PDB file of all heavy atoms in Angstrom:
ATOM      1  N   PRO A 261     -27.585  19.256 -67.544  1.00 33.00           N
ATOM      2  CA  PRO A 261     -27.691  20.701 -67.729  1.00 33.00           C
ATOM      3  C   PRO A 261     -26.946  21.508 -66.674  1.00 33.00           C
ATOM      4  O   PRO A 261     -26.722  22.686 -66.842  1.00 33.00           O
ATOM      5  CB  PRO A 261     -29.195  20.967 -67.653  1.00 33.00           C
ATOM      6  CG  PRO A 261     -29.754  19.794 -66.929  1.00 33.00           C
ATOM      7  CD  PRO A 261     -28.890  18.639 -67.297  1.00 33.00           C
ATOM      8  N   MET A 262     -26.548  20.866 -65.578  1.00 37.00           N
ATOM      9  CA  MET A 262     -25.775  21.568 -64.563  1.00 37.00           C
ATOM     10  C   MET A 262     -24.281  21.268 -64.695  1.00 37.00           C
ATOM     11  O   MET A 262     -23.521  21.373 -63.747  1.00 37.00           O
ATOM     12  CB  MET A 262     -26.242  21.148 -63.162  1.00 37.00           C
ATOM     13  CG  MET A 262     -27.680  21.550 -62.865  1.00 37.00           C
ATOM     14  SD  MET A 262     -27.893  23.336 -62.991  1.00 37.00           S
ATOM     15  CE  MET A 262     -26.857  23.863 -61.656  1.00 37.00           C
ATOM     16  N   ARG A 263     -23.851  20.888 -65.898  1.00 37.00           N
ATOM     17  CA  ARG A 263     -22.461  20.440 -66.067  1.00 37.00           C
ATOM     18  C   ARG A 263     -21.445  21.534 -65.758  1.00 37.00           C
ATOM     19  O   ARG A 263     -20.299  21.247 -65.454  1.00 37.00           O
ATOM     20  CB  ARG A 263     -22.241  19.930 -67.488  1.00 37.00           C
ATOM     21  CG  ARG A 263     -22.432  20.991 -68.570  1.00 37.00           C
ATOM     22  CD  ARG A 263     -22.352  20.337 -69.952  1.00 37.00           C
ATOM     23  NE  ARG A 263     -22.551  21.284 -71.021  1.00 37.00           N
ATOM     24  CZ  ARG A 263     -23.732  21.705 -71.447  1.00 37.00           C
ATOM     25  NH1 ARG A 263     -24.820  21.261 -70.862  1.00 37.00           N
ATOM     26  NH2 ARG A 263     -23.837  22.563 -72.436  1.00 37.00           N
ATOM     27  N   ALA A 264     -21.849  22.796 -65.816  1.00 39.00           N
ATOM     28  CA  ALA A 264     -20.899  23.866 -65.510  1.00 39.00           C
ATOM     29  C   ALA A 264     -20.343  23.708 -64.104  1.00 39.00           C
ATOM     30  O   ALA A 264     -19.159  23.907 -63.866  1.00 39.00           O
ATOM     31  CB  ALA A 264     -21.581  25.224 -65.644  1.00 39.00           C
ATOM     32  N   TRP A 265     -21.204  23.302 -63.170  1.00 40.00           N
ATOM     33  CA  TRP A 265     -20.757  23.173 -61.788  1.00 40.00           C
ATOM     34  C   TRP A 265     -19.988  21.865 -61.587  1.00 40.00           C
ATOM     35  O   TRP A 265     -19.067  21.798 -60.814  1.00 40.00           O
ATOM     36  CB  TRP A 265     -21.969  23.244 -60.848  1.00 40.00           C
ATOM     37  CG  TRP A 265     -22.457  24.644 -60.782  1.00 40.00           C
ATOM     38  CD1 TRP A 265     -22.116  25.588 -59.879  1.00 40.00           C
ATOM     39  CD2 TRP A 265     -23.328  25.275 -61.700  1.00 40.00           C
ATOM     40  NE1 TRP A 265     -22.739  26.781 -60.167  1.00 40.00           N
ATOM     41  CE2 TRP A 265     -23.491  26.620 -61.277  1.00 40.00           C
ATOM     42  CE3 TRP A 265     -24.003  24.861 -62.849  1.00 40.00           C
ATOM     43  CZ2 TRP A 265     -24.302  27.526 -61.956  1.00 40.00           C
ATOM     44  CZ3 TRP A 265     -24.801  25.766 -63.520  1.00 40.00           C
ATOM     45  CH2 TRP A 265     -24.940  27.079 -63.067  1.00 40.00           C
ATOM     46  N   ASP A 266     -20.369  20.825 -62.322  1.00 40.00           N
ATOM     47  CA  ASP A 266     -19.608  19.577 -62.253  1.00 40.00           C
ATOM     48  C   ASP A 266     -18.185  19.789 -62.750  1.00 40.00           C
ATOM     49  O   ASP A 266     -17.220  19.354 -62.138  1.00 40.00           O
ATOM     50  CB  ASP A 266     -20.279  18.496 -63.112  1.00 40.00           C
ATOM     51  CG  ASP A 266     -21.579  18.014 -62.502  1.00 40.00           C
ATOM     52  OD1 ASP A 266     -21.555  17.568 -61.344  1.00 40.00           O
ATOM     53  OD2 ASP A 266     -22.612  18.083 -63.175  1.00 40.00           O
ATOM     54  N   LEU A 267     -18.068  20.458 -63.900  1.00 39.00           N
ATOM     55  CA  LEU A 267     -16.760  20.632 -64.524  1.00 39.00           C
ATOM     56  C   LEU A 267     -15.824  21.490 -63.682  1.00 39.00           C
ATOM     57  O   LEU A 267     -14.610  21.373 -63.769  1.00 39.00           O
ATOM     58  CB  LEU A 267     -16.939  21.265 -65.905  1.00 39.00           C
ATOM     59  CG  LEU A 267     -17.566  20.350 -66.971  1.00 39.00           C
ATOM     60  CD1 LEU A 267     -17.922  21.155 -68.211  1.00 39.00           C
ATOM     61  CD2 LEU A 267     -16.610  19.229 -67.342  1.00 39.00           C
ATOM     62  N   THR A 268     -16.397  22.371 -62.879  1.00 40.00           N
ATOM     63  CA  THR A 268     -15.561  23.290 -62.122  1.00 40.00           C
ATOM     64  C   THR A 268     -15.423  22.895 -60.661  1.00 40.00           C
ATOM     65  O   THR A 268     -14.771  23.601 -59.898  1.00 40.00           O
ATOM     66  CB  THR A 268     -16.144  24.715 -62.191  1.00 40.00           C
ATOM     67  OG1 THR A 268     -17.463  24.702 -61.629  1.00 40.00           O
ATOM     68  CG2 THR A 268     -16.223  25.203 -63.617  1.00 40.00           C
ATOM     69  N   TRP A 269     -16.033  21.782 -60.277  1.00 40.00           N
ATOM     70  CA  TRP A 269     -16.050  21.422 -58.861  1.00 40.00           C
ATOM     71  C   TRP A 269     -14.647  21.262 -58.293  1.00 40.00           C
ATOM     72  O   TRP A 269     -14.360  21.647 -57.176  1.00 40.00           O
ATOM     73  CB  TRP A 269     -16.852  20.140 -58.674  1.00 40.00           C
ATOM     74  CG  TRP A 269     -17.100  19.838 -57.227  1.00 40.00           C
ATOM     75  CD1 TRP A 269     -16.512  18.889 -56.468  1.00 40.00           C
ATOM     76  CD2 TRP A 269     -17.983  20.534 -56.363  1.00 40.00           C
ATOM     77  NE1 TRP A 269     -16.973  18.932 -55.191  1.00 40.00           N
ATOM     78  CE2 TRP A 269     -17.889  19.942 -55.095  1.00 40.00           C
ATOM     79  CE3 TRP A 269     -18.850  21.604 -56.522  1.00 40.00           C
ATOM     80  CZ2 TRP A 269     -18.628  20.385 -54.009  1.00 40.00           C
ATOM     81  CZ3 TRP A 269     -19.576  22.036 -55.443  1.00 40.00           C
ATOM     82  CH2 TRP A 269     -19.465  21.431 -54.198  1.00 40.00           C
ATOM     83  N   GLU A 270     -13.739  20.696 -59.070  1.00 42.00           N
ATOM     84  CA  GLU A 270     -12.398  20.432 -58.574  1.00 42.00           C
ATOM     85  C   GLU A 270     -11.638  21.722 -58.243  1.00 42.00           C
ATOM     86  O   GLU A 270     -10.663  21.693 -57.510  1.00 42.00           O
ATOM     87  CB  GLU A 270     -11.613  19.622 -59.600  1.00 42.00           C
ATOM     88  CG  GLU A 270     -12.142  18.201 -59.771  1.00 42.00           C
ATOM     89  CD  GLU A 270     -11.312  17.426 -60.770  1.00 42.00           C
ATOM     90  OE1 GLU A 270     -10.349  18.006 -61.311  1.00 42.00           O
ATOM     91  OE2 GLU A 270     -11.629  16.260 -61.013  1.00 42.00           O
ATOM     92  N   GLN A 271     -12.090  22.839 -58.780  1.00 42.00           N
ATOM     93  CA  GLN A 271     -11.385  24.097 -58.520  1.00 42.00           C
ATOM     94  C   GLN A 271     -11.688  24.642 -57.130  1.00 42.00           C
ATOM     95  O   GLN A 271     -11.081  25.618 -56.702  1.00 42.00           O
ATOM     96  CB  GLN A 271     -11.762  25.130 -59.577  1.00 42.00           C
ATOM     97  CG  GLN A 271     -11.312  24.701 -60.956  1.00 42.00           C
ATOM     98  CD  GLN A 271     -11.116  25.884 -61.862  1.00 42.00           C
ATOM     99  OE1 GLN A 271     -10.749  26.964 -61.416  1.00 42.00           O
ATOM    100  NE2 GLN A 271     -11.341  25.693 -63.133  1.00 42.00           N
ATOM    101  N   ASP A 272     -12.655  24.051 -56.455  1.00 43.00           N
ATOM    102  CA  ASP A 272     -12.977  24.510 -55.109  1.00 43.00           C
ATOM    103  C   ASP A 272     -13.111  23.286 -54.191  1.00 43.00           C
ATOM    104  O   ASP A 272     -14.178  23.007 -53.658  1.00 43.00           O
ATOM    105  CB  ASP A 272     -14.275  25.318 -55.141  1.00 43.00           C
ATOM    106  CG  ASP A 272     -14.532  26.028 -53.813  1.00 43.00           C
ATOM    107  OD1 ASP A 272     -13.554  26.213 -53.050  1.00 43.00           O
ATOM    108  OD2 ASP A 272     -15.684  26.381 -53.538  1.00 43.00           O
ATOM    109  N   PRO A 273     -12.033  22.516 -54.019  1.00 45.00           N
ATOM    110  CA  PRO A 273     -12.129  21.237 -53.309  1.00 45.00           C
ATOM    111  C   PRO A 273     -12.444  21.382 -51.825  1.00 45.00           C
ATOM    112  O   PRO A 273     -12.877  20.426 -51.187  1.00 45.00           O
ATOM    113  CB  PRO A 273     -10.742  20.621 -53.521  1.00 45.00           C
ATOM    114  CG  PRO A 273      -9.837  21.806 -53.716  1.00 45.00           C
ATOM    115  CD  PRO A 273     -10.661  22.821 -54.449  1.00 45.00           C
TER     116      PRO A 273
END
Side-chain angles (χ1 to χ4, degrees):
M262 296 301 295
R263 63 187 179 278
W265 287 267
D266 289 304
L267 289 170
T268 60
W269 189 254
E270 292 181 0
Q271 296 205 32
D272 190 21

